[in-house]
Amino acid sequence: MGGGGGGGRGVWFGVAAGCAAAACVIAAALVSRRVKSHRRWQRAAELVAEFEEGCGTPVGRLKQVVDAMVVEMHAGLASDGGSKLKMLLTYVDSLPHGSEKGIYYALDLGGTNFRVLQVQLGGKGSNILKQKVEKQPIPQELMTSTCEKMFGFIASKLKQFVEEDEESREGTIETRALGFTFSFPVKQSSVSSGVLMKWTKGFSIEDAADRDIVACLQEALTKEGLNMQVAVLVNDTVGTLALGHYHDQDTVAAVIIGTGTNACYVERTDAIIKYQGLLTNSGSMVINMEWGNFWTSHLPRTSYDVELDEDSLNRTDQGFEKMISGMYLGEIARRVLFRIAVESEVFGDVGSKLSQPFALSTPLMATMHEDESADLREVKRIVEQTLQIPDIPLKTRRLVVKVCDIVSRRAARLVAAGIVGILKKIGRDGSGPSTSGRPKGQPMRTVVAVEGGLYEGYSMFRDYVDEAIVEILGDVAQYIFLKTTVDGSGTGAALLAAAHSSNRKSYI
Ligand code: ADP
Ligand code: MG
């Protein structure tokens, strides 16, 4: 018994010891897992902190960007090739004022969507009477096809639209003036002609090089048997400025923040040094800045931006655009998240869609950023459905939101700096000499028309832009108004067709 008992005790003891050992192993495993998890988090947090620092836009840096913008604007106006800012002449010297009358059409090509529009203008005091817009995505294969195919497609859509429209109105218009919004850099030789300088935003139609874009369109219209005259060739910024000015004559500039980004503004002709001898009736001309290509060493650039550029179709081009516009913001965030995934494993298996370029679109990034639910369920859903990473914990969701915030905040603050740069160049930032007729130093009411899917659809982005303008300009910011236009890029072209084809022009 005793021995048995002893043996029994021994066995008992052994089991107990075994249990204790197992508990130890489990505890050790837990501790080691916690340590590992802590390390993973530490690395993830480090990467986010590094990224945030790299994207830093304190007001001092923004002011450097403002000044660099002004310097580059001067350089671009001084000579062709004088700056990365092309500062293109548009030959637009009259902007609509609200007294235009008649029916006008417009085409808007230059991004993900293509629009055909018709605008009815009732003359003074009546505003836009009626407007029809038809929007459709551009078939991907056309973006890299031939001029004939691309413009043939556009002309056929326009014809369809005009025919339906005229059927419903039971009458044709004799001379149909068309405004053409073509949002790529064009070297214009008049308000209704110009040669494409380069493609951007994923378009690449080789036989368009060195050809007059209006002639290409006009040819396609004739082939379709459409009796239409292209009255103006503008880009989306100029169209947006025109619509802004139609509604509010204090509008002096326009900015687009959609798939790409660009800006234009009203400049005095005597400041356009590279085109001495240029005379306009108004003494002013709209300048298309092509600001997507702006660059200065003051821009907060990170390794992710460098890599995105290296992998892009247009390396070393459109540096400002690559930090700001809808085509790229989601992709920057994806690159950061992917690096975090690889180096910290907080997303688990890396075999997800995170490794795939452009897997995260900017609208989805915005949705995650603006997720207000306590458990960030939109973030969870998008990460699961789009990036195919199931079930990330709340802590990881917060990290995703943080990355979106950093990307979006930097972009918005750089847009603000760009806008203030324009205002400074034309003396509307409160720093210039006082304007005649108003108390010394009091700034003039100034409106900037802003358009584009990114700006319209992303309210936190808009808030960040406003906030930064106030930070840079202080009290003067109360005289600056950013007004969103809708379909301005197209409608504005129709308004310009009206302004430029009427006998009584209303100069800027
Ligand atoms: P485009 O610039 O191609 O003429 P839009 O002005 O409509 O067209 O802008 C579309 C772009 O805006 C999309 O490519 C997308 O990146 C961005 N965008 C659209 N909606 C949103 C949104 N809700 N939040 C953030 N970005 C958006
Ligand atoms: Mg557009």
Side-chain angles (χ1 to χ4, degrees):
M1 263 272 293
R9 223 172 17 245
V11 170
W12 176 243
F13 219 93
V15 171
C19 280
C24 261
V25 170
I26 288 167
L30 275 178
V31 168
S32 128
R33 208 178 300 156
R34 271 200 200 123
V35 168
K36 260 196 203 149
S37 148
H38 179 70
R39 283 212 196 106
R40 278 208 303 259
W41 268 103
Q42 217 173 9
R43 185 63 195 134
E46 253 170 43
L47 285 169
V48 174
E50 264 171 38
F51 180 56
E52 185 168 29
E53 200 186 319
C55 288
T57 48
V59 70
R61 184 182 278 226
L62 289 182
K63 285 181 178 173
Q64 288 173 317
V65 174
V66 169
D67 290 338
M69 182 65 84
V70 175
V71 167
E72 294 301 319
M73 288 172 82
H74 276 284
L77 288 172
S79 63
D80 277 334
S83 163
K84 286 200 133 200
L85 282 183
K86 291 200 176 67
M87 306 299 282
L88 302 173
L89 307 178
T90 64
Y91 295 88
V92 171
D93 63 351
S94 59
L95 288 172
H97 280 69
S99 56
E100 294 74 13
K101 217 172 166 178
I103 296 180
Y104 297 89
Y105 289 92
L107 287 174
D108 180 3
L109 172 70
T112 37
N113 293 304
F114 161 69
R115 291 175 180 80
V116 194
L117 308 94
Q118 184 249 58
V119 179
Q120 289 185 37
L121 307 170
K124 211 171 178 61
S126 65
N127 259 336
I128 295 173
L129 288 182
K130 219 171 164 188
Q131 185 175 347
K132 281 185 207 164
V133 186
E134 207 175 273
K135 169 175 154 177
Q136 35 194 309
I138 298 165
Q140 191 75 30
E141 68 274 11
L142 282 184
M143 291 165 68
T144 51
S145 64
T146 61
C147 270
E148 201 181 343
K149 282 192 181 137
M150 174 59 102
F151 287 102
F153 167 80
I154 292 170
S156 70
K157 293 292 167 196
L158 177 63
K159 185 177 184 192
Q160 219 176 329
F161 181 84
V162 171
E163 280 175 355
E164 280 166 19
D165 174 48
E166 291 185 345
E167 237 167 65
S168 69
R169 267 189 300 102
E170 294 176 351
T172 54
I173 311 159
E174 277 172 22
T175 46
R176 308 189 192 102
L178 179 71
F180 183 27
T181 306
F182 183 73
S183 306
F184 301 95
V186 167
K187 189 167 173 59
Q188 289 195 240
S189 40
S190 75
V191 77
S192 59
S193 63
V195 172
L196 175 75
M197 300 171 82
K198 66 171 181 187
W199 289 109
T200 52
K201 296 175 277 192
F203 280 75
S204 174
I205 298 173
E206 278 179 21
D207 67 341
D210 301 327
R211 290 175 68 180
D212 180 1
I213 291 302
V214 174
C216 291
L217 173 61
Q218 201 74 62
E219 213 170 281
L221 295 178
T222 311
K223 260 193 199 154
E224 282 288 339
L226 254 178
N227 174 26
M228 247 181 191
Q229 216 49 47
V230 183
V232 292
L233 170 67
V234 292
N235 76 0
D236 48 2
T237 59
V238 181
T240 298
L241 177 63
L243 181 62
H245 196 269
Y246 180 84
H247 290 303
D248 187 331
Q249 289 172 36
D250 287 335
T251 309
V252 296
V255 176
I256 300 288
I257 319 166
T259 306
T261 183
N262 191 13
C264 74
Y265 72 106
V266 178
E267 182 59 280
R268 290 189 340 264
T269 40
D270 61 2
I272 311 173
I273 311 290
K274 66 181 172 186
Y275 202 75
Q276 280 297 350
L278 175 81
L279 281 177
T280 67
N281 292 301
S282 62
S284 297
M285 185 187 277
V286 176
I287 295 291
N288 165 20
M289 294 174 66
E290 288 297 328
W291 90 354
N293 200 38
F294 170 64
W295 191 255
T296 161
S297 58
H298 297 300
L299 290 173
R301 196 179 202 212
T302 67
S303 59
Y304 305 99
D305 301 299
V306 174
E307 285 161 18
L308 181 146
D309 182 61
E310 278 169 1
D311 294 344
S312 70
L313 281 173
N314 53 348
R315 285 175 65 174
T316 73
D317 263 357
Q318 301 293 103
F320 199 46
E321 178 164 275
K322 284 173 180 159
M323 289 185 166
I324 286 175
S325 78
M327 181 154 174
Y328 303 104
L329 296 194
E331 171 61 4
I332 300 171
R334 183 205 63 86
R335 282 173 180 266
V336 179
L337 294 174
F338 180 57
R339 172 114 182 256
I340 292 172
V342 171
E343 292 195 19
S344 75
E345 296 165 25
V346 293
F347 291 104
D349 188 7
V350 193
S352 67
K353 279 247 182 124
L354 254 188
S355 60
Q356 205 175 302
F358 294 93
L360 180 62
S361 72
T362 302
L364 287 181
M365 176 193 127
T367 307
M368 295 200 287
H369 188 197
E370 296 186 327
D371 186 355
E372 283 180 345
S373 63
D375 58 347
L376 297 176
R377 78 188 80 107
E378 278 296 292
V379 178
K380 177 177 186 290
R381 185 185 62 81
I382 290 168
V383 169
E384 220 163 78
Q385 289 180 2
T386 307
L387 302 175
Q388 291 171 356
I389 307 169
D391 239 0
I392 57 167
L394 187 58
K395 204 168 164 186
T396 312
R397 294 176 213 171
R398 288 206 185 103
L399 182 137
V400 172
V401 173
K402 178 71 187 168
V403 169
C404 300
D405 182 66
I406 297 169
V407 172
S408 156
R409 187 165 185 269
R410 177 183 70 165
R413 290 171 71 82
L414 292 178
V415 166
I419 290 173
V420 176
I422 298 175
L423 299 179
K424 189 164 185 172
K425 170 73 182 70
I426 57 176
R428 299 278 188 129
D429 67 330
S431 68
S434 69
T435 326
S436 58
R438 58 192 67 240
K440 192 170 165 40
Q442 186 182 327
M444 290 168 78
R445 179 176 180 276
T446 297
V447 179
V448 178
V450 190
E451 186 162 310
L454 175 62
Y455 188 78
E456 273 161 46
Y458 196 170
S459 68
M460 287 179 82
F461 187 94
R462 288 198 300 274
D463 293 345
Y464 278 144
V465 175
D466 290 346
E467 191 180 275
I469 290 182
V470 172
E471 271 180 50
I472 304 169
L473 286 179
D475 286 347
V476 176
Q478 63 190 300
Y479 297 95
I480 312 297
F481 300 87
L482 304 193
K483 285 198 180 174
T484 314
T485 56
V486 178
D487 279 325
S489 53
T491 311
L495 295 174
L496 279 165
H500 278 260
S501 56
S502 74
N503 293 330
R504 270 187 336 107
K505 282 191 176 186
S506 337
Y507 298 108
I508 299 169

